[in-house]
């Protein structure tokens, strides 16, 4: 095996690794967005229901109970506002879609690279073009996965306990 062949074989593995990480990141961001939407929905329902109950049955609650409930509604409202602002700022759905589309593009290049390497006489000129195409695809994505995403993928994906780190980050 020539050094050139080894180089492209290693590059092919890097392409597959990058693709897999980006697919994982896309799925992770979609899960986070669903969780966030669920949290926002539950907080909204909580605020609306208790506000309605307080308005309809004001005499059913003692002064202390009303104040405590109003305080919890204020905390829920501020939480709802903060979560909504952070969600809007993070733009998870766009990031997830960018990662997904980039993973699909990388997949196409990686498969062509693998096919070239399986050929008894691979075209190193074509492999050079594919390597350049891979670099451009990664660069043109405009976003990148983090080292935390890489470590989660390396340790087996979101099913392990490291996935909690990604939620924190």
């Amino acid at each position: 095996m020539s050094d050139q062949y080894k180089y492209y074989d290693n590059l092919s593995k890097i392409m597959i690794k990058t693709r897999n990480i980006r697919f994982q990141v896309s799925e992770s961001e979609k899960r986070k967005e669903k969780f966030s939407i669920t949290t926002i929905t539950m907080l909204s329902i909580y605020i609306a229901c208790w506000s309605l109950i307080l308005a309809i049955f004001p005499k059913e609650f003692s002064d202390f109970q009303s104040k405590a409930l109003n305080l919890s509604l204020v905390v829920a409202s501020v939480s709802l506002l903060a979560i909504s602002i952070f969600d809007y700022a993070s733009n998870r759905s766009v990031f997830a879609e960018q990662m997904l589309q980039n993973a699909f593009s990388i997949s196409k290049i990686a498969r062509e690279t693998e096919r070239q390497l399986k050929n008894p006489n691979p075209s190193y000129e074509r492999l050079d073009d594919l390597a350049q195409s891979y670099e451009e695809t990664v660069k043109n994505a405009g976003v990148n996965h983090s080292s935390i995403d890489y470590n989660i993928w390396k340790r087996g994906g979101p099913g392990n306990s490291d996935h909690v780190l990604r939620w924190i980050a």
Side-chain angles (χ1 to χ4, degrees), residues 76-133:
S77 297
V78 170
S79 299
L80 180 63
L81 180 63
I83 292 168
S84 298
I85 289 170
F86 285 131
D87 271 359
Y88 179 76
S90 69
N91 213 2
R92 282 193 184 107
S93 59
V94 172
F95 181 65
E97 186 61 26
Q98 287 173 318
M99 287 284 109
L100 182 65
Q101 293 307 315
N102 193 248
F104 285 138
S105 298
I106 290 171
S107 187
K108 182 179 174 186
I109 296 166
R111 294 295 174 226
E112 177 62 24
T113 302
E114 287 176 333
R115 280 192 290 278
Q116 281 294 321
L117 291 171
K118 294 291 181 202
N119 190 332
N121 295 315
S123 167
Y124 290 109
E125 186 176 305
R126 177 69 181 134
L127 287 168
D128 282 340
D129 292 342
L130 290 168
Q132 181 64 34
S133 180

Side-chain angles (χ1 to χ4, degrees), residues 15-31:
M15 288 177 191
I16 297 296
K17 187 184 300 185
T18 302
R19 179 204 64 185
N20 291 345
I21 293 168
R22 291 185 180 211
F23 277 134
Q24 176 188 308
V25 169
S26 177
E27 286 301 312
S28 175
E29 292 300 313
K30 287 176 187 175
R31 272 193 304 278

